[in-house]
């Protein structure tokens, strides 16, 4: 038998923890997107200031000049492309309902340095595990949580794996593992 007051306290604590976590990572309520947290002149001035350049973005180069990540959504076709080109695959197992996946879309994949590196150095594949084929691939690669990023060599063998990473973490992940993913003696 559960204690109703205790259960209520647990629910309240979980709600507070969720709101705190959302504030910590910068998530916002889409219902209040048009409102400002503060109506002070300083806040209005800060809101009007142009955004600071992202890492790797020079002041003279607009983020729009770097193309978006050219995601493939068919792993079989991407593996064939990789086998032909010799480039490794970077597979992002994600889902639309996954908050960390959405945060990676907003913060990591939109970073100009990441977009440039991913466009130039790997074949990017995004698989939504809500899709049956993507779910089968996630089972094949033992994906236990989302997001999961896999670096695969052209033979489709896993070279490295990571979970949620920010832009700097993704660039480091690629730098540390790219050579192993492209080694010809595999």
């Amino acid at each position: 038998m559960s204690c109703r007051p205790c259960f209520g306290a647990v629910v309240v604590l979980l709600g507070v923890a969720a709101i705190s976590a959302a504030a910590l990572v910068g998530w916002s309520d889409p219902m209040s997107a048009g409102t400002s947290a503060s109506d002070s002149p300083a806040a209005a001035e800060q809101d009007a200031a142009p955004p600071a350049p992202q890492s790797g973005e020079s002041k003279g180069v607009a983020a729009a000049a770097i193309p978006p990540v050219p995601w493939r959504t068919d792993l079989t076709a991407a593996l064939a492309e990789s086998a032909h080109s010799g480039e490794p695959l970077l597979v992002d197992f994600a889902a639309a309902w996954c908050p960390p996946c959405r945060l990676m879309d907003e913060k990591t994949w939109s970073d100009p340095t990441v977009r440039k590196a991913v466009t130039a150095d790997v074949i990017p594949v995004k698989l939504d595990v809500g899709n049956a084929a993507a779910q089968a691939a996630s089972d094949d690669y033992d994906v236990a949580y989302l997001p999961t990023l896999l670096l695969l060599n052209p033979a489709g063998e896993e070279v490295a794996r990571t979970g949620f990473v920010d832009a700097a973490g993704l660039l480091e992940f690629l730098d540390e593992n790219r050579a192993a993913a492209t080694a010809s003696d595999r």
Side-chain angles (χ1 to χ4, degrees):
M1 177 181 244
S2 67
C3 172
R4 287 199 180 272
C6 294
F7 179 74
V10 168
V11 169
V12 168
L13 286 174
L14 288 174
V16 169
I19 291 168
S20 298
L24 181 66
V25 296
W27 291 338
S28 63
D29 179 10
M31 298 303 289
S32 64
T35 62
S36 175
S38 171
D39 291 328
S40 71
E45 188 174 308
Q46 184 179 7
D47 290 342
Q54 298 287 330
S55 62
E57 179 183 343
S58 69
K59 292 180 182 178
V61 177
I66 299 170
V69 175
W71 292 112
R72 279 63 160 191
T73 56
D74 181 342
L75 183 59
T76 304
L79 284 165
E81 181 182 348
S82 176
H84 178 71
S85 70
E87 288 185 277
L89 284 92
L90 178 64
V91 183
D92 178 13
F93 287 93
W97 50 261
C98 167
C101 301
R102 291 193 317 257
L103 188 60
M104 279 195 70
D105 287 340
E106 293 171 17
K107 303 288 184 182
T108 306
W109 301 121
S110 66
D111 182 275
T113 307
V114 167
R115 293 190 336 233
K116 185 176 179 184
V118 170
T119 301
D121 297 335
V122 297
I123 297 171
V125 181
K126 185 178 277 279
L127 299 176
D128 183 339
V129 297
N131 173 308
Q135 182 61 51
S138 74
D139 292 343
D140 291 344
Y141 285 102
D142 296 320
V143 172
Y145 56 88
L146 299 177
T148 293
L149 303 174
L150 300 179
L151 190 62
L152 306 178
N153 67 16
E157 300 164 332
E158 181 179 332
V159 174
R161 166 185 303 240
T162 191
F164 176 88
V165 289
D166 62 8
L170 181 63
L171 294 171
E172 183 178 324
F173 173 76
L174 289 173
D175 287 342
E176 289 176 356
N177 298 295
R178 187 178 302 112
T182 57
S184 60
D185 60 329
R186 289 188 74 75

